[in-house]
Amino acid sequence: MPAAQTTWPGDEDADIHRPDRPTMVLLNPRAAAGQAAALAQPVRQWLAAHAPGVALVESDSIERSRATLQCLPRSSRVVLIGGDGTLHHMLPVLLTHRLALGVVPLGGGNDTARALGVAGLPWQKALDFALRGPTRRMDVGELITARQRVPFFSSLAAGFDAAVARRALEGPRWLEGMPRYLWATLGELAGLRAHRIRIALDGAPCHDGEAIFASVLNTRSYGSGMPAVPGARVGDGRLDLLVAGRFGRVGTLAMLPRLLQGTHLSNPKVQTWTFQSMQIESDDELPLAADGEPLAPMRRFEVRVRASAVSVASTKVQRRSAAPASSPEYLPVQA
């Protein structure tokens, strides 16, 4: 643990990680288009000086990284150095092994890190907080089909914005963050299409018609900081659905500045709801992306919130006044 006894916001009422629980730092060297690899040696030196005994593990393999985390005792703390994709792929093990999470954001999106209040910190401060900061409970979302369950931290994009996420991953390395998503958005406009979808929330129908996307958010932002649902909270036991109705190319392009400013919700074609469970069906296959990571397209699926599912080092997540209902034991993800 770091030698300096920093007092972090919320120490007086948060679930502070105990020093008797093992801690590991896991770095994804492929994060930030490979730039994270250069951080390995500086992090190793910082740990030697401020947190002797804390191991740094480098792994660019999802399978090896998951296997490494599975070796940790339950309730250990793991610090992940990477972006939303890194967090997404490690989430199944965090859930099954009930590991506490600290984040050093280093990726193209970092929307989960924004929700936790650590985006934009110098990596040294982010690492110090990830190791020692108070932990609170965070909700996660979960896509459910008859064959698989896929958990997500920040968002499940369905439709046009999922296609944008896929294109962004394939974009030029010299573009990062928001410019990369804007480049991908402009590239997807040529193939813009609406989908006929039917949605029920908590058992009640809420939408039956065309939409260019119907995306679920747990965090306020997605797509590298776009404030899609400014009122979303990651600790309220609910998810937020954002539906954009039928827009043409010009209308979609005109909506982009409003989305970047968070003023898009005043458009009558844009609607949002909060929910605990959602069933969705489309006449054709919907492109999907969880935390910006592409998934196989689907025509029907369910989404549920897993309230207070994971413990995170955060300056923002509010503790509930009452204990949430217990969620079912987590089932392995089909990667």
Side-chain angles (χ1 to χ4, degrees):
M1 304 295 288
Q5 298 300 308
T6 307
T7 299
W8 297 104
D11 274 0
E12 67 279 359
D13 63 356
D15 176 20
I16 301 176
H17 174 67
R18 298 204 311 263
D20 60 324
R21 295 178 181 173
T23 300
M24 174 186 291
V25 179
L26 181 65
L27 183 147
N28 175 11
R30 293 187 178 183
Q35 298 179 36
L39 200 59
Q41 188 57 27
V43 167
R44 193 171 283 112
Q45 293 173 346
W46 189 96
L47 290 174
H50 301 282
V54 175
L56 171 66
V57 176
E58 294 180 68
S59 176
D60 60 1
S61 163
I62 295 173
E63 291 74 19
R64 286 196 297 270
S65 296
R66 287 178 174 174
T68 298
L69 297 188
Q70 288 170 349
C71 293
L72 291 172
R74 288 198 171 204
S75 301
S76 301
R77 180 179 295 206
V78 58
V79 175
L80 296 180
I81 303 179
D84 286 332
T86 301
L87 302 183
H88 173 77
H89 289 299
M90 296 305 106
L91 179 54
V93 182
L94 298 179
L95 293 171
T96 56
H97 285 59
R98 299 177 184 175
L99 301 176
L101 171 67
V103 177
V104 178
L106 197 67
N110 298 324
D111 288 295
T112 299
R114 285 183 179 85
L116 302 182
V118 297
L121 291 178
W123 69 261
Q124 297 91 337
K125 290 186 177 181
L127 180 55
D128 187 29
F129 183 81
L131 289 168
R132 295 197 61 253
T135 61
R136 297 181 173 90
R137 307 301 298 183
M138 175 179 176
D139 307 330
V140 299
E142 190 169 49
L143 177 148
I144 302 171
T145 71
R147 301 178 60 184
Q148 66 178 338
R149 292 177 176 235
V150 181
F152 57 91
F153 272 113
S154 175
S155 64
L156 178 71
F160 176 72
D161 48 356
V164 169
R166 180 182 294 274
R167 182 178 287 264
L169 287 177
E170 300 169 352
R173 292 191 173 186
W174 52 270
L175 275 179
E176 298 179 359
M178 182 66 71
R180 191 181 185 96
Y181 279 90
L182 293 177
W183 171 88
T185 298
L186 294 174
E188 282 297 319
L189 278 176
L192 179 68
R193 59 177 300 188
H195 303 268
R196 178 82 182 188
I197 57 176
R198 292 162 292 283
I199 304 173
L201 301 180
D202 299 324
C206 77
H207 180 88
D208 185 347
E210 292 188 326
I212 60 171
F213 66 77
S215 296
V216 175
L217 281 91
N218 185 34
T219 57
R220 299 179 184 184
S221 69
Y222 72 162
S224 191
M226 289 187 286
V229 186
R233 299 291 183 272
V234 297
D236 62 359
R238 303 182 70 83
L239 300 172
D240 289 77
L241 171 65
L242 179 67
V243 174
R246 186 177 180 87
F247 281 89
R249 295 184 184 89
V250 174
T252 301
L253 190 59
M255 184 56 61
L256 273 177
R258 297 183 63 177
L259 180 59
L260 295 174
Q261 297 170 10
T263 60
H264 56 290
L265 296 181
S266 61
N267 189 300
K269 293 183 179 180
V270 179
Q271 295 178 291
T272 184
W273 299 264
T274 62
F275 69 91
Q276 292 178 313
S277 67
M278 179 186 83
Q279 295 77 39
I280 183 169
E281 183 179 71
S282 173
D283 285 354
D284 59 347
E285 290 191 328
L286 285 170
L288 295 175
D291 295 324
E293 297 294 295
L295 303 176
M298 299 181 191
R299 291 184 60 185
R300 59 179 62 87
F301 54 89
E302 183 176 357
V303 179
R304 294 179 187 172
V305 66
R306 294 193 62 183
S308 298
V310 65
S311 181
V312 293
S314 171
T315 66
K316 291 187 175 183
V317 180
Q318 297 295 319
R319 169 169 289 201
R320 287 182 177 82
S321 58
S326 59
S327 55
E329 188 67 20
Y330 185 74
L331 299 179
V333 166
Q334 177 179 321

